[in-house]
Amino acid sequence: MDKHSSFAISNPHKVTLDNIQKLGLWLGISGLLILVLATLNVHLEPKNIFVLVSIGFILIGTTVYARRTYLKQPSGIKNNHVWFKSLTNRSVLGWSVGIILTLFYVLLYWFPKFLGLGINGEPNSGLIVMFDSISMFFKEQPASQWFVYGTLYTLAILALGIKFMYKYRHNQYQLIRTTVVIISQLFLAYLIPEILEGLNSETPYFAKDIKNMWPLNYYFFESWHLDNMLNGGTLGMFYLVVGIFMFLVFTPIITYFVGKRWYCSWICGCGGLAETAGDPFRHLSSKKLSAWKLERWLIHSVMVFIFIVTVVVLYGYFTGSGEFLGLSIYNYFSKPYGFLIGAMFSGVIGVGFYPMLGNRVWCRFGCPLAGYMGIIQRFKSRFRITTNGGQCISCGNCSTYCEQGIDVRAYAQKGENIVRASCVGCGICSAVCPRGVLKLENGPEKGRINPTDVLLGNDVDLMNLVNNKTSKF
């Protein structure tokens, strides 16, 4: 027997890669290397072939690696060694990836020229010119930094979504959810908007990701965006009406029935990236009480911020004024929100800090749409995570892998339903529980919040309590 063999499911010895895993890694890294070389202005010709090779290598390499890694082991959650890997324990590799991601977002938002964006009529170069052929295919115009970003974003969700599905292949909820995440990003956020952009090239630009609604889409009510939708013909009016209907009517109704998970964990682009690319970092979210307090202050402050900005912007739109109380609407309202929240918080910190703060920094602390749905979920929804406290062995897996920083174990130990505004219903807490203590449910509102019902073995009226709880459902 090999000296590193072990009968433990989680091998205590250093994990080695076989040749198939190495091949998958080599392909994936080679695909990324092509993009890095392009960013450094290394001449790669023909560019249309190299970009397809890069995308293909990343997809195939990730699939080969994930398939070999997870299918050669018994099905079940595999979070082995996450606190011992440099990438996932805030060590050198994790910080390096975080710095690279942060730098990429800084260049994307404020210095796209360094990524190769042509300025003042100049042709694209570097990384961006690599995607010109794909952009020309969709809309007959050279790529912008946002087209490149959208393509890479979709590629990350697709490739790492496949990896996620191999990892959680035993859990039907996760398989269905991840499939919907991939389809939503690929079609609703990428293909359909780009195709519509190409078919309506004569009309002014407006956002065509139908699920990216206000207040997440903070510029939805900006004057230029409203004008572009109103001048965008039937398609523009459709997106205007649907956009208002989505946040005003559709979102509250669906959130009442199933909680905010329908959006945050199933179709949202931010959540989609967090659940796929961010999965290895979910255990890094802080479970401290101080973090929970900060979360509530921050996310609701952002909600108030965007509400004020939107009211002021609409005031300026309907009055034709560029000022509000003597202050420039753009310089004192729209621009600060776009810079601080739209770029710095959601992009630079929200994704760049995955390896340091976990994969849901933006969703937990800053997303105003998540905050809006969270209020509904907390006070007027049928969704809850029920707990069977008598089965809990206090292993702590649920709390460790809660990406929203909820101390799930504390609820499970008491047999208390988890009804939290921040819960995105990803279901990972239930998936990692070895005893089946947790279950995501939609049920009657009565008895949903039960903070005083503590199931303890020495409860004199334990059976009566159980019967009463059962009768409520």
Side-chain angles (χ1 to χ4, degrees):
M1 181 177 287
D2 184 80
K3 65 179 180 179
H4 293 313
S5 297
S6 172
F7 289 108
I9 294 177
S10 177
N11 193 328
H13 303 295
K14 183 178 180 180
V15 178
T16 57
L17 303 178
D18 61 26
N19 290 333
I20 296 178
Q21 289 172 299
K22 291 177 181 178
L23 173 63
L25 280 179
W26 181 85
L27 286 172
I29 293 173
S30 297
L32 289 174
L33 183 60
I34 292 174
L35 299 179
V36 171
L37 292 175
T39 305
L40 298 175
N41 282 312
V42 175
H43 189 67
L44 299 173
E45 290 291 349
K47 292 180 174 57
N48 58 333
I49 299 299
F50 267 99
V51 71
L52 294 178
V53 169
S54 172
I55 292 172
F57 274 13
I58 292 172
L59 276 175
I60 296 171
T62 305
T63 303
V64 169
Y65 175 79
R67 181 179 176 84
R68 183 62 175 176
T69 299
Y70 296 114
L71 291 190
K72 71 176 184 179
Q73 304 178 58
S75 61
I77 302 299
K78 297 295 183 295
N79 286 318
N80 306 335
H81 312 291
V82 292
W83 283 112
F84 297 94
K85 294 178 181 177
S86 181
L87 178 64
T88 55
N89 69 353
R90 300 192 183 103
S91 194
V92 175
L93 186 56
W95 276 94
S96 299
V97 171
I99 291 171
I100 292 171
L101 286 173
T102 301
L103 178 61
F104 172 75
Y105 272 90
V106 170
L107 296 178
L108 178 75
Y109 280 110
W110 298 293
F111 306 101
K113 184 177 181 179
F114 291 99
L115 294 176
L117 182 67
I119 306 295
N120 298 324
E122 297 177 0
N124 289 333
S125 60
L127 175 66
I128 294 179
V129 74
M130 295 287 289
F131 292 83
D132 274 356
S133 58
I134 303 177
S135 180
M136 292 295 292
F137 174 79
F138 281 118
K139 46 191 179 184
E140 297 184 350
Q141 64 184 44
S144 66
Q145 77 269 37
W146 302 117
F147 178 82
V148 174
Y149 177 57
T151 304
L152 295 178
Y153 199 101
T154 303
L155 176 62
I157 290 179
L158 178 57
L160 295 170
I162 293 172
K163 174 180 177 291
F164 184 95
M165 293 174 75
Y166 275 116
K167 179 179 178 180
Y168 294 91
R169 67 187 185 278
H170 63 289
N171 191 303
Q172 187 178 26
Y173 180 83
Q174 300 302 331
L175 292 177
I176 296 174
R177 184 175 68 86
T178 308
T179 301
V180 174
V181 164
I182 292 173
I183 292 174
S184 296
Q185 177 62 31
L186 183 60
F187 290 96
L188 297 181
Y190 184 67
L191 290 178
I192 292 176
E194 295 299 341
I195 292 172
L196 288 176
E197 193 71 23
L199 295 175
N200 298 272
S201 57
E202 301 300 321
T203 60
Y205 169 81
F206 53 87
K208 297 179 178 65
D209 180 356
I210 199 167
K211 60 185 175 56
N212 187 27
M213 63 186 123
W214 185 89
L216 179 58
N217 181 2
Y218 59 91
Y219 60 79
F220 184 85
F221 289 109
E222 292 278 353
S223 298
W224 66 269
H225 194 253
L226 285 176
D227 285 337
N228 288 356
M229 285 190 289
L230 291 172
N231 296 325
T234 304
L235 186 64
M237 286 301 300
F238 171 78
Y239 273 90
L240 175 61
V241 173
V242 170
I244 295 174
F245 174 80
M246 283 286 286
F247 82 85
L248 204 58
V249 179
F250 186 80
T251 295
I253 292 176
I254 299 301
T255 305
Y256 167 75
F257 283 105
V258 299
K260 63 194 264 188
R261 57 176 168 162
W262 74 273
Y263 189 85
C264 296
S265 289
W266 286 69
I267 67 171
C268 176
C270 305
L273 189 70
E275 292 295 332
T276 53
D279 177 64
F281 310 107
R282 63 174 63 247
H283 59 286
L284 299 176
S285 61
S286 175
K287 279 73 179 181
K288 295 180 180 178
L289 185 60
S290 57
W292 185 17
K293 292 179 180 178
L294 177 64
E295 164 197 319
R296 288 178 289 177
W297 275 103
L298 267 181
I299 196 167
H300 295 117
S301 296
V302 173
M303 286 179 62
V304 172
F305 191 1
I306 186 57
F307 179 78
I308 293 174
V309 169
T310 302
V311 169
V312 171
V313 164
L314 287 175
Y315 166 83
Y317 180 77
F318 288 112
T319 62
S321 173
E323 294 185 348
F324 179 76
L325 300 179
L327 300 174
S328 168
I329 293 176
Y330 175 74
N331 290 328
Y332 287 92
F333 294 94
S334 301
K335 187 177 180 180
Y337 187 92
F339 174 77
L340 294 173
I341 309 301
M344 283 295 297
F345 204 161
S346 69
V348 177
I349 297 175
V351 179
F353 285 29
Y354 271 13
M356 283 77 78
L357 300 178
N359 61 327
R360 285 278 189 173
V361 182
W362 163 246
C363 311
R364 179 184 179 186
F365 293 97
C367 178
L369 182 55
Y372 167 53
M373 291 188 292
I375 293 174
I376 300 172
Q377 176 171 279
R378 175 64 178 81
F379 296 104
K380 193 65 177 177
S381 175
R382 294 166 58 87
F383 173 71
R384 84 291 306 273
I385 300 178
T386 57
T387 61
N388 180 1
Q391 287 288 96
C392 179
I393 58 174
S394 300
C395 66
N397 277 349
C398 51
S399 293
T400 298
Y401 296 106
C402 177
E403 58 194 358
Q404 290 293 97
I406 300 173
D407 187 4
V408 181
R409 178 173 59 178
Y411 292 87
Q413 288 172 330
K414 297 183 293 182
E416 181 180 338
N417 291 345
I418 302 169
V419 183
R420 286 277 289 271
S422 59
C423 178
V424 293
C426 66
I428 296 298
C429 60
S430 176
V432 300
C433 178
R435 300 279 289 173
V437 172
L438 305 163
K439 185 178 181 182
L440 281 68
E441 294 185 1
N442 303 310
E445 290 183 66
K446 186 177 181 181
R448 174 173 168 263
I449 300 176
N450 60 341
T452 58
D453 293 346
V454 182
L455 294 178
L456 298 176
N458 60 353
D459 195 320
V460 177
D461 298 317
L462 181 60
M463 290 308 300
N464 289 334
L465 180 60
V466 171
N467 291 331
N468 289 335
K469 286 171 66 69
T470 304
S471 65
K472 293 177 182 179
F473 296 95

